[in-house]
Amino acid sequence: MSDCLFCKIAKGEIPSNKVYEDEVCYAFYDIDPQAPVHFLVIPKMHLASVAEVTADNAAVAGHMMAVISKVAKQMGMVSYRVVSNIGEQAGQSVPHLHFHVLGGRDMTWPPG
Ligand code: AMP
Ligand code: ZN
């Protein structure tokens, strides 16, 4: 989508601090980190959120999970949290699917 912030980041049109990239997804550090380690994993194709994941594109979401697992291991993370906000009430501010990966500090539950 031409006016989507994360589509532009995935294409390199807006700079970001890259963590990982392949043909399906892109990972980069969050600009406003909420933990000592906080990066985002996004698909290169535009999907608005988890709510747009279907049987037809579920391989993309599955691939993103495998990337999270691989990158977290490479970073030496053994305990971390993966979060995806869907819609305004849940706090989604960028309408392009992304998984937050947060680690390096104690986490509380339930989340706010
Ligand atoms: P959410 O609020 O769940 O939609 O998450 C969006 C996240 O994107 C927030 O944690 C923001 O800090 C982050 N963010 C927004 N713009 C940028 C950017 N240009 N580079 C990196 N992270 C960003
Ligand atoms: Zn997008």
Side-chain angles (χ1 to χ4, degrees):
M1 233 166 75
S2 58
D3 63 344
C4 171
L5 173 64
F6 283 0
C7 281
K8 287 180 180 168
I9 285 179
K11 286 185 201 142
E13 293 170 7
I14 289 177
S16 64
N17 195 354
K18 180 162 99 172
V19 170
Y20 173 89
E21 181 174 16
D22 62 28
E23 60 287 347
V24 175
C25 69
Y26 184 78
F28 57 107
Y29 286 105
D30 197 291
I31 205 167
D32 181 22
Q34 301 302 311
V37 180
H38 184 181
F39 62 91
L40 305 172
V41 181
I42 65 174
K44 288 192 169 175
M45 72 182 288
H46 181 86
L47 294 170
S49 74
V50 168
E52 290 193 354
V53 176
T54 64
D56 288 341
N57 59 31
V60 172
H63 179 84
M64 292 168 72
M65 287 295 151
V67 165
I68 289 168
S69 171
K70 182 166 79 174
V71 172
K73 277 192 191 80
Q74 282 170 355
M75 289 183 171
M77 299 167 80
V78 291
S79 182
Y80 53 98
R81 185 169 288 176
V82 178
V83 176
S84 194
N85 298 316
I86 295 112
E88 207 175 316
Q89 190 176 26
Q92 185 177 9
S93 60
V94 180
H96 178 122
L97 173 62
H98 50 282
F99 292 111
H100 296 260
V101 182
L102 302 131
R105 67 164 169 80
D106 293 342
M107 303 277 168
T108 58
W109 192 264

